[in-house]
């Protein structure tokens, strides 16, 4: 790896830096959403942006998710490059028509004549004790729809590079941030970079089992890999980074090499991201697999508030470790 | 004594009892929230806590005009609505701490208390999320002839949600017994409502032919009087109403929202607290009218405080649900 100057940034800082750089580069880039200006969002991700770019470009909206997401589509079609902020991923439900029937369809339906260079940033993830309407991970819904690209960064480095790519994309991108990750730190280069969509990242090399993990689950998978190491199992951890486009090749190659695979994602398993990725691996690496591909996602329940209940609804290092051990015939 | 004076005396006693009940309920809410603040600051309460302190007169004035069988829907800032509708603090605290003894057996938490026994259809953490539910309850009341009224509580932030206008239109068309109670506490999370709300708020109701009025939400008697009138009309089949209550939340958007000066001044907060406190002003009125005295009211306050402390202790001691319960109540 070439020497590059890096510094440690939090996930939130990396996002903010990506936005600030893109806003400096392109005056068409603007932000709107609830409490994005002086408040800088409840998670303080956007702090300082209104001071630099002004209220013309960092706009507080009413609590009108359907309305301002729709405006994002129209503004994107006609010369702005809006980054729409939906505070909690749970509120995507309110934006669905604008995203699914409008944003996703405009380009194709117009025979490629209109474009919608809009980014919608939102959150996912449980274990914040926020109960059933503030804890969901709904990225699978959007990954299901042709016309939307779906990004799920798991490190500050990825978050920055992917967000810059998202803002430069000519059509709609939905960008999911794990709200539990905002304070997590990681190295980020000083100099400009972008990360292409559809390029999975091997977060850890290994020979015995492939663990595909997204967003919040990447750290969990890496933790499980450490535990596996101790019992002599080498786990390869792969982060697809975008659920659409999906880097099928990297996933399949890894599974062919290790012959076993687990897919971990914080969304629900049923009809979910894990099912899709597992079938990609099963189809592509079938003759090399020693065991069925295992899926691990959120328990099939609305997220409960009570800590001892909530804690069992998401995969953990321990549960991933145990599943991997079983799959490798070691437990 | 004539029959008439006897009756009016009886009425006066009844009225006094009612005023005292309302006073007690307001104090209950305030003391409840004091305890929540304490629990949260001592890191005993998981999640977020959105306090209702300062807005007590709204919930109490409205709910005093309701029957136990009437419905309410509530919000993320919902503890006051629950108490005012008759929920018991021990089970509320248990819910806030995620305990099995809580109203939702720990599954809902602070933002989702629901209680069929007191007609509480549930608190909603989606802004505007219960507008449809309340209006639907009014529809069933009308179709089933139960005579129940539904009250939909929401903050002025919910005025931004389109669903509110869809259901107001329906409620007016179908003359449904629903009261939309907007608690205008001036701020959504960290933004003054004037920055997000255009035009005349009341006109948003009248545009649909929904009877609309505003009231001083810090004056429990005024809120009660308005509520009584509107609930009466709704119950008689005269259709929905929209009541905008001018009020103020004393604390941050949630307990952790401490540095607030970038969106509102300390002086403003101080003014509301000193000049427009609903409990202080009601206390002064009760004493002035010789309906009660300082020592009786003070005594009641200590009593309520002790009750709340006991309720908190109950909740702290109560067991958590077992992890297997995460999968209970799932039907699909
Ligand atoms: C649909 C939706 N959008 C955003 C939020 C995040 N949020 C929670 S409370 C709140 C402000 C609500 O303000 P208001 O309705 O006036 O009620 P208040 O908190 O002032 O009582 C916001 C934006 C939410 N819960 N639901």
């Amino acid at each position: 790896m070439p020497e590059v100057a890096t510094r440690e940034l939090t996930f939130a800082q990396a996002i903010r830096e990506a936005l600030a750089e893109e806003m400096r580069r392109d005056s068409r880039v603007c932000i709107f959403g609830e409490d994005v200006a002086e408040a800088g969002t409840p998670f303080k991700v956007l702090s300082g942006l209104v001071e630099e770019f002004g209220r013309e470009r960092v706009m507080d909206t009413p609590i009108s998710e359907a309305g301002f997401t729709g405006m994002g589509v129209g503004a994107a079609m006609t010369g702005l490059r809006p980054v729409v902020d939906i505070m909690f991923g749970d509120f995507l439900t309110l934006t669905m028509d604008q995203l699914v029937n409008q944003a996703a369809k405009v380009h194709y339906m117009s025979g490629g004549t209109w474009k919608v260079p809009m980014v919608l940033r939102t959150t996912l993830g449980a274990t914040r004790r926020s109960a059933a309407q503030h804890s969901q991970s709904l990225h699978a819904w959007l990954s299901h729809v042709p016309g939307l690209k779906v990004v799920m960064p798991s490190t500050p480095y990825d978050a920055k590079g992917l967000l810059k790519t998202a803002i430069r994309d000519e059509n709609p991108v939905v960008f999911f941030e794990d709200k539990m990750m905002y304070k997590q730190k990681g190295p980020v280069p000083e100099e400009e970079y972008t990360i292409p969509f559809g390029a999975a990242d091997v977060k850890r090399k290994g020979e015995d089992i492939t663990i595909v993990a997204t967003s919040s689950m990447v750290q969990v998978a890496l933790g499980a890999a450490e535990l596996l190491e101790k019992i002599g199992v080498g786990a390869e951890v792969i982060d697809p980074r975008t659920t659409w486009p999906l880097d099928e090749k990297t996933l399949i190659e890894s599974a062919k090499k290790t012959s076993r695979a687990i897919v971990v994602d914080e969304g629900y398993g049923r009809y979910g991201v894990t099912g899709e990725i597992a079938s990609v691996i099963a189809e592509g690496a079938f003759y090399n697999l020693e065991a069925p591909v295992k899926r691990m996602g959120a328990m099939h329940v609305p997220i409960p508030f009570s800590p001892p209940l909530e804690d069992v609804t998401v995969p953990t290092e321990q549960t991933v470790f145990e599943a991997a051990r079983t799959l490798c015939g070691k437990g | 004594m004539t029959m008439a004076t006897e009756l009016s005396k009886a009425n006066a006693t009844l009225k006094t009892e009612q005023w005292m009940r309302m006073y007690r309920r307001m104090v209950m809410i305030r003391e409840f929230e004091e305890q929540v603040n304490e629990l949260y600051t001592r890191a005993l309460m998981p999640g977020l806590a959105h306090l209702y302190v300062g807005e007590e007169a709204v919930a109490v004035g409205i709910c005093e005009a309701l029957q136990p069988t009437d419905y309410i829907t509530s919000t993320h800032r919902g503890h006051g609505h629950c108490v005012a509708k008759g929920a018991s603090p021990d089970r509320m605290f248990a819910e806030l701490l995620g305990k099995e003894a809580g109203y939702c057996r720990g599954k809902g938490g602070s933002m989702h208390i629901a209680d069929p026994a007191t007609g509480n259809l549930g608190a909603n953490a989606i802004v505007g999320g219960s507008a449809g539910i309340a209006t639907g309850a009014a529809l069933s009341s009308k179709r089933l002839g139960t005579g129940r009224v539904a009250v939909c509580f929401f903050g002025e932030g919910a005025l931004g949600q389109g669903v509110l206008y869809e259901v107001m239109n329906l409620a007016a068309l179908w003359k449904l017994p629903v009261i939309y109670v907007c608690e205008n506490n001036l701020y959504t999370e960290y933004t003054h409502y004037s920055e997000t709300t255009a035009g005349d708020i009341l006109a948003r109701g009248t545009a649909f032919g929904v009877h609309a009025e505003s009231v001083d939400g810090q004056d429990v008697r005024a809120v009660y009087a308005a509520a009584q009138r509107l609930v009466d009309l709704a119950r008689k089949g005269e259709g929905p109403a929209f009541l905008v209550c001018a009020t103020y939340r004393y604390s941050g958007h949630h307990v952790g929202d401490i540095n607030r000066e970038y969106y509102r001044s300390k002086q403003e907060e101080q003014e509301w607290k000193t000049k427009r406190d609903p409990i202080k002003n009601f206390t002064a009125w009760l004493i002035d009218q010789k309906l009660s005295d300082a020592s009786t009211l003070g005594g009641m306050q200590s009593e309520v405080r002790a009750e709340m402390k006991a309720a908190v202790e109950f909740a702290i001691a109560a067991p958590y649900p077992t992890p297997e319960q995460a999968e209970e109540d799932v039907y699909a």
Side-chain angles (χ1 to χ4, degrees), chain A residues 44-82:
Chain A
K44 305 292 166 206
V45 178
L46 306 183
S47 298
L49 293 181
V50 74
E51 285 76 7
E52 177 172 354
F53 300 102
R55 281 173 158 237
E56 298 269 287
R57 294 180 69 193
V58 183
M59 293 167 268
D60 274 340
T61 63
I63 309 173
S64 308
E65 287 84 359
F68 68 77
T69 302
M71 286 170 65
V73 180
M77 290 169 69
T78 51
L80 294 179
R81 299 184 82 89

Short mmCIF file of all heavy atoms in Angstrom, two decimals, chain A residues 44-82:
data_model
loop_
_atom_site.label_atom_id
_atom_site.label_comp_id
_atom_site.label_asym_id
_atom_site.label_seq_id
_atom_site.Cartn_x
_atom_site.Cartn_y
_atom_site.Cartn_z
N LYS A 44 -25.49 15.36 15.37
CA LYS A 44 -24.43 16.37 15.18
C LYS A 44 -23.52 16.05 14.00
O LYS A 44 -22.37 16.49 13.95
CB LYS A 44 -23.59 16.55 16.46
CG LYS A 44 -24.41 16.89 17.69
CD LYS A 44 -25.02 18.29 17.58
CE LYS A 44 -26.10 18.51 18.63
NZ LYS A 44 -27.10 19.50 18.25
N VAL A 45 -24.03 15.31 13.05
CA VAL A 45 -23.21 14.92 11.90
C VAL A 45 -22.91 16.12 11.01
O VAL A 45 -21.84 16.21 10.41
CB VAL A 45 -23.93 13.82 11.08
CG1 VAL A 45 -23.13 13.42 9.86
CG2 VAL A 45 -24.18 12.60 11.96
N LEU A 46 -23.85 17.06 10.95
CA LEU A 46 -23.68 18.16 10.00
C LEU A 46 -23.20 19.46 10.67
O LEU A 46 -23.21 20.51 10.04
CB LEU A 46 -25.00 18.41 9.26
CG LEU A 46 -25.60 17.18 8.56
CD1 LEU A 46 -26.86 17.56 7.80
CD2 LEU A 46 -24.59 16.54 7.59
N SER A 47 -22.78 19.37 11.91
CA SER A 47 -22.34 20.58 12.64
C SER A 47 -21.34 21.37 11.82
O SER A 47 -20.38 20.81 11.29
CB SER A 47 -21.66 20.20 13.95
OG SER A 47 -22.55 19.54 14.77
N GLY A 48 -21.56 22.67 11.76
CA GLY A 48 -20.59 23.54 11.09
C GLY A 48 -20.90 23.79 9.63
O GLY A 48 -20.39 24.74 9.04
N LEU A 49 -21.71 22.98 9.01
CA LEU A 49 -21.94 23.16 7.57
C LEU A 49 -22.74 24.42 7.27
O LEU A 49 -22.44 25.14 6.33
CB LEU A 49 -22.60 21.93 6.96
CG LEU A 49 -21.74 20.65 6.95
CD1 LEU A 49 -22.50 19.50 6.30
CD2 LEU A 49 -20.43 20.89 6.21
N VAL A 50 -23.75 24.69 8.10
CA VAL A 50 -24.54 25.90 7.81
C VAL A 50 -23.69 27.15 7.99
O VAL A 50 -23.85 28.13 7.26
CB VAL A 50 -25.83 25.95 8.67
CG1 VAL A 50 -25.53 26.30 10.13
CG2 VAL A 50 -26.81 26.96 8.08
N GLU A 51 -22.75 27.09 8.93
CA GLU A 51 -21.87 28.24 9.15
C GLU A 51 -21.02 28.49 7.91
O GLU A 51 -20.80 29.63 7.51
CB GLU A 51 -20.96 28.02 10.38
CG GLU A 51 -21.67 28.17 11.73
CD GLU A 51 -22.54 26.97 12.10
OE1 GLU A 51 -22.51 25.94 11.38
OE2 GLU A 51 -23.27 27.06 13.11
N GLU A 52 -20.56 27.43 7.28
CA GLU A 52 -19.74 27.64 6.08
C GLU A 52 -20.57 27.93 4.83
O GLU A 52 -20.22 28.79 4.03
CB GLU A 52 -18.84 26.41 5.82
CG GLU A 52 -18.02 26.59 4.53
CD GLU A 52 -16.97 25.51 4.31
OE1 GLU A 52 -16.75 24.66 5.19
OE2 GLU A 52 -16.36 25.55 3.21
N PHE A 53 -21.67 27.22 4.67
CA PHE A 53 -22.37 27.30 3.38
C PHE A 53 -23.66 28.11 3.41
O PHE A 53 -24.24 28.38 2.36
CB PHE A 53 -22.64 25.89 2.84
CG PHE A 53 -21.37 25.10 2.64
CD1 PHE A 53 -20.98 24.14 3.54
CD2 PHE A 53 -20.55 25.38 1.56
CE1 PHE A 53 -19.79 23.44 3.37
CE2 PHE A 53 -19.36 24.70 1.37
CZ PHE A 53 -18.97 23.72 2.28
N GLY A 54 -24.10 28.47 4.60
CA GLY A 54 -25.28 29.33 4.69
C GLY A 54 -26.59 28.57 4.57
O GLY A 54 -26.64 27.41 4.16
N ARG A 55 -27.64 29.27 4.94
CA ARG A 55 -28.96 28.64 4.96
C ARG A 55 -29.56 28.43 3.57
O ARG A 55 -30.59 27.77 3.43
CB ARG A 55 -29.90 29.49 5.81
CG ARG A 55 -29.70 29.27 7.28
CD ARG A 55 -30.53 30.23 8.07
NE ARG A 55 -30.75 29.71 9.41
CZ ARG A 55 -31.96 29.52 9.93
NH1 ARG A 55 -33.04 29.82 9.26
NH2 ARG A 55 -32.07 29.05 11.14
N GLU A 56 -28.93 29.03 2.58
CA GLU A 56 -29.40 28.80 1.21
C GLU A 56 -29.05 27.39 0.77
O GLU A 56 -29.70 26.83 -0.11
CB GLU A 56 -28.68 29.76 0.26
CG GLU A 56 -28.95 31.20 0.53
CD GLU A 56 -30.14 31.66 -0.29
OE1 GLU A 56 -29.95 31.81 -1.51
OE2 GLU A 56 -31.22 31.85 0.29
N ARG A 57 -28.02 26.85 1.38
CA ARG A 57 -27.56 25.53 0.95
C ARG A 57 -27.73 24.45 2.01
O ARG A 57 -27.60 23.26 1.71
CB ARG A 57 -26.11 25.61 0.48
CG ARG A 57 -25.96 26.47 -0.78
CD ARG A 57 -24.53 26.54 -1.24
NE ARG A 57 -24.06 25.26 -1.75
CZ ARG A 57 -22.78 24.99 -1.97
NH1 ARG A 57 -21.85 25.91 -1.70
NH2 ARG A 57 -22.41 23.82 -2.45
N VAL A 58 -27.95 24.88 3.23
CA VAL A 58 -28.21 23.91 4.31
C VAL A 58 -29.56 24.32 4.90
O VAL A 58 -29.65 25.24 5.69
CB VAL A 58 -27.11 23.93 5.39
CG1 VAL A 58 -27.37 22.86 6.45
CG2 VAL A 58 -25.73 23.73 4.76
N MET A 59 -30.61 23.64 4.47
CA MET A 59 -31.97 24.14 4.72
C MET A 59 -32.74 23.27 5.69
O MET A 59 -32.92 22.07 5.46
CB MET A 59 -32.72 24.17 3.37
CG MET A 59 -32.18 25.19 2.40
SD MET A 59 -32.86 24.91 0.74
CE MET A 59 -31.60 23.83 0.06
N ASP A 60 -33.21 23.91 6.76
CA ASP A 60 -34.09 23.22 7.69
C ASP A 60 -35.48 23.09 7.08
O ASP A 60 -36.03 24.08 6.59
CB ASP A 60 -34.23 24.04 8.98
CG ASP A 60 -33.12 23.74 9.97
OD1 ASP A 60 -32.48 22.68 9.85
OD2 ASP A 60 -32.90 24.58 10.86
N THR A 61 -36.03 21.93 7.14
CA THR A 61 -37.38 21.73 6.60
C THR A 61 -38.36 21.50 7.73
O THR A 61 -37.97 21.16 8.84
CB THR A 61 -37.43 20.47 5.72
OG1 THR A 61 -37.14 19.34 6.56
CG2 THR A 61 -36.45 20.55 4.58
N PRO A 62 -39.65 21.63 7.45
CA PRO A 62 -40.65 21.12 8.39
C PRO A 62 -40.54 19.59 8.45
O PRO A 62 -39.80 18.99 7.68
CB PRO A 62 -41.98 21.53 7.75
CG PRO A 62 -41.65 22.52 6.69
CD PRO A 62 -40.25 22.26 6.27
N ILE A 63 -41.29 19.01 9.35
CA ILE A 63 -41.29 17.54 9.50
C ILE A 63 -42.20 16.98 8.40
O ILE A 63 -43.32 16.56 8.66
CB ILE A 63 -41.74 17.14 10.91
CG1 ILE A 63 -40.91 17.92 11.95
CG2 ILE A 63 -41.56 15.63 11.13
CD1 ILE A 63 -41.39 17.74 13.38
N SER A 64 -41.71 17.04 7.19
CA SER A 64 -42.53 16.72 6.01
C SER A 64 -41.71 15.83 5.08
O SER A 64 -41.34 16.25 3.97
CB SER A 64 -42.91 18.01 5.27
OG SER A 64 -43.49 18.94 6.13
N GLU A 65 -41.41 14.62 5.52
CA GLU A 65 -40.48 13.78 4.78
C GLU A 65 -40.93 13.51 3.35
O GLU A 65 -40.12 13.55 2.42
CB GLU A 65 -40.27 12.45 5.51
CG GLU A 65 -39.43 12.55 6.78
CD GLU A 65 -40.20 12.97 8.01
OE1 GLU A 65 -41.43 13.19 7.90
OE2 GLU A 65 -39.60 13.07 9.09
N ALA A 66 -42.22 13.23 3.18
CA ALA A 66 -42.69 12.94 1.82
C ALA A 66 -42.49 14.16 0.94
O ALA A 66 -41.99 14.05 -0.19
CB ALA A 66 -44.17 12.55 1.86
N GLY A 67 -42.86 15.30 1.46
CA GLY A 67 -42.77 16.54 0.68
C GLY A 67 -41.35 16.89 0.29
O GLY A 67 -41.05 17.12 -0.88
N PHE A 68 -40.45 16.91 1.27
CA PHE A 68 -39.12 17.39 0.88
C PHE A 68 -38.30 16.34 0.14
O PHE A 68 -37.40 16.70 -0.62
CB PHE A 68 -38.37 18.07 2.05
CG PHE A 68 -37.94 17.21 3.20
CD1 PHE A 68 -36.83 16.37 3.10
CD2 PHE A 68 -38.60 17.28 4.41
CE1 PHE A 68 -36.41 15.62 4.18
CE2 PHE A 68 -38.19 16.52 5.50
CZ PHE A 68 -37.08 15.68 5.38
N THR A 69 -38.63 15.07 0.29
CA THR A 69 -37.95 14.07 -0.53
C THR A 69 -38.41 14.23 -1.98
O THR A 69 -37.61 14.19 -2.92
CB THR A 69 -38.23 12.64 -0.03
OG1 THR A 69 -37.80 12.56 1.33
CG2 THR A 69 -37.49 11.59 -0.84
N GLY A 70 -39.70 14.45 -2.15
CA GLY A 70 -40.21 14.71 -3.50
C GLY A 70 -39.56 15.95 -4.11
O GLY A 70 -39.20 15.97 -5.29
N MET A 71 -39.38 16.97 -3.28
CA MET A 71 -38.71 18.18 -3.78
C MET A 71 -37.27 17.88 -4.16
O MET A 71 -36.74 18.46 -5.12
CB MET A 71 -38.74 19.27 -2.72
CG MET A 71 -40.11 19.90 -2.58
SD MET A 71 -40.20 20.98 -1.14
CE MET A 71 -39.05 22.26 -1.60
N GLY A 72 -36.66 16.96 -3.43
CA GLY A 72 -35.31 16.55 -3.77
C GLY A 72 -35.28 15.98 -5.19
O GLY A 72 -34.37 16.28 -5.98
N VAL A 73 -36.28 15.19 -5.52
CA VAL A 73 -36.33 14.59 -6.85
C VAL A 73 -36.46 15.69 -7.91
O VAL A 73 -35.69 15.73 -8.88
CB VAL A 73 -37.52 13.60 -6.96
CG1 VAL A 73 -37.58 12.99 -8.35
CG2 VAL A 73 -37.40 12.50 -5.90
N GLY A 74 -37.40 16.58 -7.67
CA GLY A 74 -37.62 17.65 -8.66
C GLY A 74 -36.42 18.57 -8.79
O GLY A 74 -36.04 18.98 -9.90
N ALA A 75 -35.83 18.91 -7.65
CA ALA A 75 -34.68 19.81 -7.68
C ALA A 75 -33.51 19.13 -8.39
O ALA A 75 -32.76 19.76 -9.15
CB ALA A 75 -34.30 20.21 -6.27
N ALA A 76 -33.36 17.83 -8.15
CA ALA A 76 -32.27 17.10 -8.79
C ALA A 76 -32.47 17.04 -10.31
O ALA A 76 -31.52 17.15 -11.08
CB ALA A 76 -32.18 15.69 -8.22
N MET A 77 -33.70 16.92 -10.73
CA MET A 77 -33.99 16.85 -12.17
C MET A 77 -33.69 18.17 -12.87
O MET A 77 -33.47 18.20 -14.08
CB MET A 77 -35.47 16.49 -12.39
CG MET A 77 -35.82 15.07 -12.01
SD MET A 77 -37.61 14.79 -11.99
CE MET A 77 -37.99 14.89 -13.75
N THR A 78 -33.69 19.24 -12.10
CA THR A 78 -33.66 20.56 -12.73
C THR A 78 -32.45 21.40 -12.35
O THR A 78 -32.51 22.62 -12.40
CB THR A 78 -34.96 21.31 -12.38
OG1 THR A 78 -35.12 21.26 -10.95
CG2 THR A 78 -36.16 20.69 -13.04
N GLY A 79 -31.38 20.76 -11.90
CA GLY A 79 -30.16 21.55 -11.79
C GLY A 79 -29.48 21.59 -10.43
O GLY A 79 -28.35 22.02 -10.34
N LEU A 80 -30.16 21.17 -9.37
CA LEU A 80 -29.47 21.09 -8.08
C LEU A 80 -28.99 19.66 -7.85
O LEU A 80 -29.39 18.74 -8.57
CB LEU A 80 -30.40 21.53 -6.94
CG LEU A 80 -30.81 23.00 -6.95
CD1 LEU A 80 -31.75 23.29 -5.78
CD2 LEU A 80 -29.60 23.93 -6.88
N ARG A 81 -28.15 19.50 -6.85
CA ARG A 81 -27.73 18.15 -6.46
C ARG A 81 -28.00 18.01 -4.97
O ARG A 81 -27.10 18.15 -4.14
CB ARG A 81 -26.25 17.94 -6.81
CG ARG A 81 -25.99 18.08 -8.33
CD ARG A 81 -24.56 17.78 -8.69
NE ARG A 81 -24.31 16.36 -8.83
CZ ARG A 81 -24.45 15.67 -9.97
NH1 ARG A 81 -24.88 16.28 -11.06
NH2 ARG A 81 -24.16 14.39 -10.00
N PRO A 82 -29.25 17.71 -4.64
CA PRO A 82 -29.64 17.71 -3.24
C PRO A 82 -29.17 16.46 -2.50
O PRO A 82 -29.15 15.36 -3.05
CB PRO A 82 -31.17 17.71 -3.28
CG PRO A 82 -31.55 17.84 -4.71
CD PRO A 82 -30.38 17.46 -5.54
#
